[in-house]
Amino acid sequence: MNENKTLIAYATKSGVTEENANIIAKILENQYEFEVDLINLKKNPKPDLSQYKNIIIGSGIRIARWYGKVNKFLKNNFKDKNVAIFLSSGKAGDPESYDDAITKYIDKKLTKNPHIKPIATEAFGGRYADMDYTDPEKVKAWAQELGNKIRK
Ligand SMILES: Cc1cc2nc3c(=O)[nH]c(=O)nc-3n(C[C@H](O)[C@H](O)[C@H](O)COP(=O)(O)O)c2cc1C
């Protein structure tokens, strides 16, 4: 396992999680010199995790659920790895419902998956019909926090 090797594994339907995965990858590569692989779980649902010390997992939310490919990916054994999780959700983009999104989509999921002990979690705004709650600056700031945390 290589301390520098970082996997960003994600699933997206409307594209926001992929955009955010790309933003996070650029920050970690350019500012923290991590070696980052981006994997769309729809194309590669079972990547070999053995080489990665850092695993960042991204999902969109629809009908209050994480995408199925990510749910399956969460069943992996992440022992001795740094895991971080980010979501894209309509609710998370609205300050009035942000806390509710964290409770319903992140806290609940982690209670159900006690084998996952992430070092960081965040929910970013999504895109839905003509509403756009995306916030690339927030994503960049989170990626920097993460970089600082996992840097040797
Ligand atoms: C059919 C549909 C259902 C959705 N349901 C929810 C929901 O239950 N909660 C929520 O916060 N956002 C919901 N959204 C908004 C999505 O989270 C948003 O589109 C986000 O960008 C999805 O991530 P993705 O772009 O990576 O697919 C929904 C969007 C669609 C199109």
Side-chain angles (χ1 to χ4, degrees), residues 12-17 61 63-64 67 89-91 105 126-128:
T12 190
K13 288 183 183 174
S14 305
V16 175
T17 307
I61 297 286
I63 325 173
Y67 294 159
S89 124
K91 229 185 221 294
Y105 305 147
R127 212 176 275 127
Y128 180 50

